[in-house]
Amino acid sequence: MYPDNQEELIEEVAQKYEDYHNPGLAKMLKFAGLGVEWTAEGCYIYDADGNPYLDCLGGYGVFSLGHRHPKVVEAVKAQLEKMPLASKLFFNKPLADLCEKLAEVAPGDLQYSFLCNSGTEAVEGALKIARKATGRRKFVSTMGGFHGKTMGALSATGRAKFKDAFLPLIEEFVHVPYDDIAAMQEVIDDDTAGVIIEPIQGEGGIIIPSDNYLIDLRQICTDKGALLIVDEVQTGLGRTGAMFAVNHYGVKPDIMTLAKALGGGVIPTGAFMATTDIWEKGFGDNPLVHTSTFGGNPLACQAALATIRVIQEEGLIENAKARGQQMLEGLKQVQQRHSQTLCSVRGRGLMIGVEFVQDDVGELVIAGLVKRGVIAAYTLNNPRVMRFEPPLIINEMQVNHAVNIFDEAVAETVEILASLE
């Protein structure tokens, strides 16, 4: 099952990365001490030597059901025997069934769905339809926000590091501080097509807004005729201890984007949803104004349908609450023991961030975790914050193990840094 010589395999793959894929990425993976992933199941990834790694990163939110969940794999295999991709000419039953299921579980009055392949595609479609439905051009988003790296989604993303090399981006995007309702009030006006917001900032460092922020933002958008676009790409489908993070606040979006967990960790799947009125304005005069060759293919739709069923039938939202609280409390105890190194622990459900006092310490801790068979990563827009986003199927013993290993890795890092002074 596993190759005979992992060291040779690592060298071979790393060299091909350097020669044909991405030399910089090859150096990063080598520095982190990462080998070649070979197989995965449940909460574990196994390298080519058979070493297990407890996955506390979860593919940045992709593997909410763990790896190769049997019910999702079974659904995809069954569809593979029938028809993997759609002709795009006939009616597509898996697509119809999935859109019905999404309307059933979505917050508020979201009714119609467009299926695509990724989060950034979902954001692109949402922005297009918002402009068409309102006849306006301006968008408001937040500093530290992350919505993807294609040109439109990148225009909404709030970190210069990913944007400056590609300027000029799409015009008429304004960025304001997150969780600052006064700043929103100041910039949302009669020219604003929409506000795109994460209900919890993921790549910004697991930033949880104040209780009334999204509620007040909803009211401002309503008053100004701007659309509230909620980006649930990372937070959606049980991650935060609710089916969608906006459910915690009782907020009804006009448009919502989904991806990551939607494909059950088996097939890449994304979607954006909108209310009946917005859909009519966006697609009513031309149902082909926005299309996708591979979006809504039968394999992806069956994976997504199985994913939603598993979340509901296996009580994963409830498990995310319980195990999230357990992990949060455990990590806070670690923070108290190492308060000179760790300044904050925060999160909701199984979306948790640990913030370091200074830059670059997190990289050493991540290396220490990997060495001990646990994987995690820092957030893209705030490298001081390490994220824990394990599968929603994680159990009590695995959470305790992850917390204990994190404690060991932090203690080792503290010793290393002290020896360098």
Side-chain angles (χ1 to χ4, degrees):
M1 183 177 181
Y2 296 101
D4 294 331
N5 192 319
Q6 190 189 31
E7 291 185 5
E8 290 182 4
L9 179 67
I10 292 172
E11 286 302 316
E12 174 193 345
V13 174
Q15 191 62 54
K16 289 179 179 179
Y17 265 56
E18 292 181 13
D19 292 345
Y20 307 112
H21 177 50
N22 190 327
L25 181 60
K27 292 177 182 177
M28 287 175 59
L29 295 176
K30 281 185 174 180
F31 175 79
L34 295 166
V36 177
E37 59 187 10
W38 200 253
T39 187
E41 185 171 6
C43 291
Y44 292 91
I45 296 171
Y46 299 84
D47 67 17
D49 213 25
N51 297 310
Y53 295 85
L54 179 61
D55 185 0
C56 285
L57 174 60
Y60 307 95
V62 169
F63 298 107
S64 288
L65 307 191
H67 297 269
R68 296 194 302 121
H69 192 287
K71 292 180 180 178
V72 181
V73 171
E74 180 184 359
V76 170
K77 282 184 176 179
Q79 183 61 46
L80 186 63
E81 294 297 324
K82 298 177 182 178
M83 187 177 188
L85 297 179
S87 70
K88 313 304 284 192
L89 179 63
F90 294 86
F91 284 112
N92 174 345
K93 186 178 188 309
L95 173 63
D97 292 343
L98 175 57
C99 291
E100 178 187 37
K101 177 59 70 172
L102 287 171
E104 176 187 310
V105 301
D109 302 316
L110 298 173
Q111 174 79 10
Y112 291 98
S113 296
F114 180 95
L115 273 296
C116 52
N117 309 283
S118 66
T120 194
E121 288 178 64
V123 169
E124 292 283 346
L127 296 174
K128 284 178 64 178
I129 295 307
R131 276 191 170 174
K132 189 169 187 297
T134 62
R136 303 175 179 183
R137 296 181 55 82
K138 177 181 172 181
F139 287 99
V140 179
S141 55
T142 58
M143 298 171 186
F146 186 88
H147 302 286
K149 292 180 180 174
T150 51
M151 293 297 277
L154 189 59
S155 302
T157 292
R159 192 180 183 203
K161 178 178 181 179
F162 298 121
K163 300 168 67 170
D164 286 354
F166 307 103
L167 297 175
L169 294 171
I170 307 301
E171 296 179 348
E172 298 188 51
F173 276 79
V174 177
H175 296 80
V176 299
Y178 189 72
D179 199 22
D180 185 339
I181 200 65
M184 281 288 187
Q185 181 80 60
E186 186 174 339
V187 299
I188 300 172
D189 55 28
D190 294 338
D191 294 323
T192 304
V195 176
I196 183 165
I197 192 86
E198 297 165 275
I200 296 174
Q201 273 198 346
E203 305 306 332
I206 316 299
I207 307 299
I208 301 170
S210 53
D211 290 343
N212 291 324
Y213 178 63
L214 293 173
I215 297 170
D216 293 342
L217 181 57
R218 168 70 278 177
Q219 188 60 54
I220 295 170
C221 288
T222 300
D223 292 344
K224 293 293 185 179
L227 302 183
L228 179 61
I229 306 168
V230 174
D231 185 335
E232 291 261 8
V233 167
Q234 190 167 167
T235 55
L237 300 167
R239 171 58 55 187
T240 68
M243 183 60 82
F244 301 100
V246 290
N247 294 145
H248 293 296
Y249 308 98
V251 168
K252 298 179 180 180
D254 298 304
I255 301 176
M256 181 173 72
T257 61
L258 299 171
K260 293 192 184 294
L262 185 58
V266 177
I267 301 289
T269 314
F272 69 86
M273 303 184 68
T275 63
T276 302
D277 178 60
I278 293 165
W279 207 267
E280 176 59 29
K281 292 175 180 176
F283 287 93
D285 62 346
N286 181 1
L288 302 179
V289 71
H290 189 71
T291 59
S292 170
T293 300
F294 296 114
N297 69 76
L299 288 180
C301 290
Q302 294 289 18
L305 280 163
T307 295
I308 296 171
R309 286 196 296 267
V310 167
I311 291 170
Q312 293 176 321
E313 295 170 3
E314 298 188 5
L316 297 191
I317 293 174
E318 292 74 17
N319 196 60
K321 289 180 186 176
R323 299 285 73 79
Q325 187 61 36
Q326 177 193 352
M327 179 170 277
L328 192 68
E329 291 173 357
L331 292 172
K332 284 182 176 180
Q333 292 175 10
V334 176
Q335 186 268 329
Q336 290 170 4
R337 286 193 290 273
H338 301 285
S339 58
Q340 292 184 327
T341 304
L342 305 172
C343 62
S344 177
V345 176
R346 54 185 177 265
R348 194 155 202 171
L350 283 169
M351 186 174 182
I352 299 172
V354 179
E355 186 165 357
F356 294 87
V357 172
Q358 62 188 53
D359 294 339
D360 302 325
V361 175
E363 291 187 27
L364 294 173
V365 174
I366 289 169
L369 289 175
V370 171
K371 183 171 68 175
R372 294 168 171 83
V374 175
I375 62 170
Y378 58 80
T379 56
L380 287 178
N381 284 349
N382 190 347
R384 285 195 180 190
V385 177
M386 179 187 295
R387 57 144 63 87
F388 286 84
E389 292 186 29
L392 307 187
I393 63 171
I394 196 169
N395 63 37
E396 184 176 356
M397 181 186 69
Q398 291 165 336
V399 170
N400 284 333
H401 178 68
V403 171
N404 290 336
I405 292 298
F406 178 69
D407 196 0
E408 292 179 15
V410 172
E412 179 185 58
T413 300
V414 170
E415 290 181 7
I416 292 172
L417 293 175
S419 69
L420 298 176
E421 293 180 354

